[in-house]
Amino acid sequence: MMLRRVKEFKEDESGSFTLEASLLFPAILIATMMLIFFSMIIFYKSVLQFEANRIADQVAYVWNNSSKDVETGEFVEYTTENGDGLYWRLTDNNFLQQFGLSGSDDSGLANKKKREHLAKEIPGLTEATVSYNNSLLNSTITVSLEKPMPLPSSVTTMFGTNLMEAKATRSVTEPVEVIRNTEVVVYFGGKIKEYYGYIEKFMKK
């Protein structure tokens, strides 16, 4: 009797679908939720990176004039009128960084031109910095943003971090200044070549 019931139980397939579904459903649910959370992280990270890129672009774009509007580039005052000064690139542009020195780093004017308020206006940030590096061949603006993930702590623990970071670097390009400096070098190079003979004679005396 018992053997017959066992045999019938083994051959009876009713309820097998429910059993299989109860085993698979949790795994499918967990995989789906992980995919959703991963997509949310990618989205929030992309938004934060976009903000860093936007701020770096705007600051680099208006670096040559503190009066420029970051959105349009429009200005009503020249550098000689808005407090920048005629020779601000030599005195207040972290000029000594080009030679590996730090005497005038982060001057008041350089800090003003970094416009850090653009980064601090983004809600929810734990850290927002805008830095300027003036090297001999290339000047750059670097924007670093840090923001907590708006996700449950259990999820952030699973991914190993609860912070998102974004960094963007842009070169400060000033075509007019490059042309002016090139003309100065060409002019003085021609003068040195012109008076080289006199200088050579003077040195031999």
Side-chain angles (χ1 to χ4, degrees):
M1 184 71 176
M2 181 65 68
L3 292 175
R4 184 167 59 84
R5 288 183 178 180
V6 171
K7 184 177 180 181
E8 291 176 354
F9 177 78
K10 290 174 61 177
E11 294 176 351
D12 187 6
E13 296 183 357
S14 61
S16 61
F17 178 80
T18 303
L19 179 62
E20 292 172 359
S22 64
L23 294 174
L24 289 176
F25 181 75
I28 295 174
L29 179 62
I30 292 173
T32 303
M33 294 301 295
M34 290 294 294
L35 182 60
I36 292 174
F37 286 133
F38 183 72
S39 300
M40 291 175 65
I41 291 174
I42 295 297
F43 170 74
Y44 288 125
K45 170 72 174 179
S46 300
V47 171
L48 192 64
Q49 186 63 53
F50 170 80
E51 293 291 350
N53 291 340
R54 176 183 63 82
I55 295 170
D57 286 334
Q58 290 178 336
V59 174
Y61 176 59
V62 300
W63 187 261
N64 62 348
N65 190 325
S66 297
S67 298
K68 275 188 174 182
D69 184 90
V70 295
E71 298 288 345
T72 64
E74 181 182 3
F75 64 93
V76 294
E77 294 179 322
Y78 290 97
T79 55
T80 53
E81 302 169 337
N82 63 5
D84 285 2
L86 185 61
Y87 301 106
W88 66 270
R89 291 178 180 84
L90 296 176
T91 59
D92 293 297
N93 199 34
N94 294 357
F95 180 73
L96 294 181
Q97 281 187 354
Q98 302 179 74
F99 309 101
L101 304 176
S102 58
S104 62
D105 288 0
D106 296 326
S107 66
L109 182 58
N111 282 329
K112 177 183 176 183
K113 287 178 173 291
K114 287 192 291 187
R115 310 192 189 211
E116 290 187 322
H117 67 276
L118 294 174
K120 294 177 180 178
E121 289 174 356
I122 302 173
L125 294 180
T126 57
E127 184 178 348
T129 59
V130 181
S131 58
Y132 173 68
N133 180 50
N134 188 2
S135 63
L136 189 60
L137 299 177
N138 186 33
S139 300
T140 58
I141 297 291
T142 301
V143 177
S144 299
L145 304 178
E146 192 174 274
K147 188 175 184 178
M149 293 183 184
L151 297 173
S153 58
S154 57
V155 177
T156 57
T157 302
M158 190 179 302
F159 282 99
T161 180
N162 64 340
L163 291 174
M164 297 180 296
E165 297 179 353
K167 180 178 287 187
T169 301
R170 295 292 184 273
S171 296
V172 178
T173 57
E174 297 184 78
V176 175
E177 185 66 14
V178 171
I179 294 172
R180 182 162 49 236
N181 291 339
T182 303
E183 289 180 345
V184 169
V185 171
V186 171
Y187 173 79
F188 280 103
K191 288 297 181 181
I192 292 174
K193 183 177 181 181
E194 181 181 346
Y195 292 101
Y196 178 76
Y198 299 104
I199 296 174
E200 188 178 18
K201 290 180 182 179
F202 176 79
M203 295 297 292
K204 287 182 179 180
K205 289 184 179 181

